[in-house]
Structure formats: structure tokens, C-alpha cells
Amino acid sequence: MATSGKKRILSGMRSTGRLHLGNFVGALENWVKMQGEYENYHLVADWHVLTTDAEHTGDILPNTLEMVRDWLGAGIDPSISPMFRQSKVKEHSELHLLFSMLVTQSRLERNPTLKEQIRDLREKLQARDLDDENRPENEVTDSGLITYGHLGYPVLQAADILLYKGEVVPVGEDQLPHLEITREIARRFNRYYGEVFPEPDGYVLEETKFSRLPGPDGKRMSKSLGNTIYLSDGEEETGKRIMTMVTDPQKVRRNDPGRPEVCNVFTYHQKFNPDEVPQIDADCRSGALGCVACKKNCAAKLNDYLRPMRERRQQYNDDAVMDVLTTGETKARAVAQETMAQVRDAMKFG
Ligand code: TRP
């Protein structure tokens, strides 16, 4: 337990750039909500980005700045919740190395996230091989597709969490296998060298309608599908995205009765305009409310919701974000150094 008497949260995101509504709903918004009750530490996993692209490192820093700007816009308060880059706290690499001796290769090969990524890589390779007869994809083994560092992704994540003795890790369900590996590493360390680490719990939010907010097209919101609404988009752009949304296909004319339960616009109303939901539900079903008016209202309410976040975001230029990070890194480093002193001591390195 942290000195404040509050439990410590360690949460992190890979720095891949501006965040969209799908990253906010069910993830970032919870970090903000948990801020009073927990002691929050927020990590920018900028080394983890290398696992999927080690070649193009030039985008990492600008992406970090955009992402942290979104954190600040959403309401993470830098005076109580340190935000810091993994790459600026060298203790991450030391603990990662030590932890890498406490987990077997086969344990890491069983990681379902890795298997998924191998599948993706193989698909990409297959697509390329159609024009390259010299590299038949089936000659490349699974382990030939990933780097040593990529295999160790969850080991680095375990170091991220345990360096701060994070007790609670707010994550999506897809990250639970990584948390299980974190717990196994903590347990093994404690058994070999004595109690140093807590066994952190994944804090998975109740699976609600909103834990995965669909994009305007109804599919999972993702950069690669091009269906994102960014927190930093303009109001007009956001409005346009909402106006393109598909509603109940059976509601063809304005006064046809509609079925809110099959309408994605209604999902957005439930999230961003809860007060009007009963009225919208009734008026959609009776045919009193047409889809165009309903979407216009939805766009306005979504923009109302995002406006304060967008305004706060704009107050932070690159220098201001960098200040937040360097201050956070000083705080993070102090905690990390203390933990590493305990680790070296427990392992009798002296
Ligand atoms: N693997 C996490 C993700 O892709 C990012 C991450 C890295 C992380 N280190 C972490 C999350 C530590 C929580 C705690 O979302």
C-alpha cells in the first residue's frame, strides 16, 4: 500500500498517437474516475511500441505527446497522478532483465496475445508472398516471425507494474493473460528471494454496453478500420461522422416507427446523452422522431460532452506536456529506485 493509504494503480498505454472515443470509453475515463480513490501512476509504454515496429522510431515521441495531451484533456491531474515514459526510467530495463530469468520460454509462447499477433504477421507475409516467389511464407516458423523482445512483451509489462508495486491494474479483458504472467513472476520472485512484490489484480470493468463503444459504422472503433472519432477532432468533423451513422434499416421514412435497440445512434445517446434516453426511446418507437433530427441532437450532445476535454487539451502545448512528463518521471524514478534497492538486496547482489 502506498504511503497515502490508498491502493496504487499502475496503468499504461503504448504510445501510438491521438486517442479516439473507443480508447476513452471503458479505459481512459476510468483512470479519471479512479483518481480520487486510488493513487494513480500512468505509464507511457514507449519501448513496447518497438515490439511491433522497431524500424520507425521517429513517430514514438510525437505520438507520446499527443497521447499524453489526451490524458490531460480527459482530466488526469498531473499534480496527483504522475505520467511518465518507460524509456526515461532505466530501472524498467533492469527489472525486465531479472524477471526474464523467472519465466520460461514456453510460458511466453503460450501467451494468447502473441499467438494473435503471429497470426496477423503471417497474414501480412502471405499477402506479400503473392508477389514474391522467393519467400514462401510457410518456410518461416512462428518463432521466426517475432523478435526476442516481442516474446518478452509481458515480462516488460510485469516490470512496469511491479516496479511501482502496482496493486490494481485497470485493463481491458485482452490484457488479462499478461496480468496472469505478472502474478506468476511476482510469486516466483517472492518464493526465491522473499516477499518484495504484491500480486496485482486486474481491474476489469464490468462488461457493459459501453466497454467497447462501436465506431459510427457499428464495428469496433479502430484506426485501421478508419472509423475513429478522435477526442481531438473538431466539432464539425465529429458532427459529420454522426450524421453518416446507419440507423434501424426498417425505419425508412421519417415517421416510420424505429427500434432503438438495433440503432447505433441510440447507443451513443445512452452514453453521451443519458437524460434524454427515455424520451428518445419513446419518440423513435412511435415514429415521432426522425433519424436526421435524432442524429443532429446526438452530434450536439457528443460535442457538448467532449468540449471541456478538447478545451483542456488545447491548453497544453508540446512544452507543457513535456513538463508534465519530466515532473512525472522524477516521481516515478524515485519509486523505481527504491524498489530496485529492495530487489538487489533480496537477491543478495549487495
Ligand atoms: N500492454 C498494454 C496494452 O497494450 C500496455 C501496457 C504496457 C501496460 N505496460 C503496461 C498496461 C503496464 C498496464 C500496465 O494496452
Side-chain angles (χ1 to χ4, degrees):
M1 182 118 18
T3 42
S4 59
K6 292 177 178 172
K7 278 196 177 182
R8 187 173 288 162
I9 283 186
L10 188 291
S11 62
M13 287 188 195
R14 284 158 37 107
S15 36
T16 50
R18 292 192 295 151
L19 299 179
H20 53 65
L21 274 185
N23 303 125
F24 173 75
V25 175
L28 180 54
E29 67 170 347
N30 296 310
W31 298 10
V32 179
K33 283 184 204 147
M34 292 164 104
Q35 230 174 181
E37 202 182 327
Y38 295 87
E39 191 180 279
N40 285 28
Y41 276 68
H42 300 297
L43 167 124
V44 177
D46 54 354
W47 278 343
H48 272 115
V49 177
L50 301 172
T51 58
T52 46
D53 188 0
E55 190 178 346
H56 306 100
T57 51
D59 288 342
I60 299 178
L61 181 57
N63 282 343
T64 294
L65 296 175
E66 289 295 350
M67 184 174 79
V68 174
R69 217 186 317 277
D70 280 325
W71 291 2
L72 291 159
I76 303 290
D77 177 352
S79 69
I80 53 172
S81 306
M83 289 163 254
F84 56 96
R85 288 163 288 177
Q86 193 180 40
S87 65
K88 292 292 170 214
V89 184
K90 305 279 188 286
E91 284 75 8
H92 286 263
S93 58
E94 185 179 357
L95 193 57
H96 168 257
L97 177 126
L98 297 173
F99 281 175
S100 73
M101 312 294 171
L102 302 179
V103 59
T104 64
Q105 182 176 331
S106 68
R107 177 67 184 92
L108 295 173
E109 283 167 350
R110 281 203 316 273
N111 171 19
T113 343
L114 186 82
K115 286 191 177 161
E116 220 172 89
Q117 281 168 344
I118 289 175
R119 222 173 302 133
D120 290 351
L121 286 169
R122 196 170 280 290
E123 261 170 39
K124 263 193 216 160
L125 199 65
Q126 250 157 354
R128 215 184 314 145
D129 280 342
L130 292 178
D131 351 282
D132 183 358
E133 287 162 32
N134 300 325
R135 284 190 67 200
E137 61 85 23
N138 52 11
E139 276 183 18
V140 183
T141 58
D142 281 359
S143 54
L145 279 170
I146 54 151
T147 62
Y148 166 60
H150 194 166
L151 179 68
Y153 187 115
V155 186
L156 182 56
Q157 187 164 346
D160 294 341
I161 297 167
L162 295 174
L163 199 47
Y164 304 93
K165 302 196 178 173
E167 292 159 282
V168 179
V169 187
V171 286
E173 221 158 350
D174 61 313
Q175 292 291 311
L176 288 179
H178 293 172
L179 269 209
E180 193 46 48
I181 293 174
T182 300
R183 272 196 295 272
E184 286 169 24
I185 289 175
R187 227 175 284 142
R188 181 163 291 184
F189 185 100
N190 291 344
R191 185 153 48 82
Y192 285 2
Y193 313 115
E195 282 296 310
V196 172
F197 295 114
E199 270 184 49
D201 285 320
Y203 180 98
V204 180
L205 280 133
E206 217 181 305
E207 188 70 25
T208 65
K209 191 164 200 147
F210 307 123
S211 40
R212 291 222 180 130
L213 185 79
D217 57 359
K219 300 195 184 111
R220 187 177 64 91
M221 195 180 282
S222 111
K223 214 183 281 182
S224 55
L225 293 176
N227 62 354
T228 42
I229 295 176
Y230 288 100
L231 299 180
S232 49
D233 277 347
E235 300 210 354
E236 211 185 298
E237 212 174 333
T238 304
K240 273 192 201 147
R241 297 312 286 265
I242 299 294
M243 296 312 286
T244 65
M245 281 169 85
V246 177
T247 57
D248 178 358
Q250 285 178 20
K251 185 168 161 66
V252 182
R253 276 171 302 255
R254 187 197 169 289
N255 294 112
D256 288 346
R259 297 167 299 168
E261 67 275 12
V262 302
C263 179
N264 197 16
V265 178
F266 190 69
T267 305
Y268 274 57
H269 275 297
Q270 287 173 305
K271 175 67 198 171
F272 302 107
N273 184 22
D275 293 350
E276 285 179 17
V277 159
Q279 192 65 47
I280 291 167
D281 187 285
D283 292 349
C284 175
R285 283 181 206 286
S286 73
L289 178 62
C291 293
V292 172
C294 182
K295 285 190 211 177
K296 277 193 182 146
N297 183 27
C298 182
K301 293 300 182 332
L302 176 57
N303 277 324
D304 288 347
Y305 189 98
L306 294 174
R307 196 169 301 118
M309 288 168 40
R310 288 170 171 163
E311 283 171 5
R312 199 171 318 118
R313 185 184 200 284
Q314 286 200 330
Q315 291 166 13
Y316 290 92
N317 61 18
D318 281 357
D319 285 347
V321 176
M322 202 47 107
D323 271 355
V324 166
L325 285 171
T326 48
T327 308
E329 283 150 12
T330 304
K331 287 187 197 160
R333 216 173 281 126
V335 177
Q337 284 170 357
E338 197 182 315
T339 304
M340 282 318 297
Q342 291 168 8
V343 165
R344 288 182 215 114
D345 192 47
M347 293 180 77
K348 312 222 182 315
F349 278 107

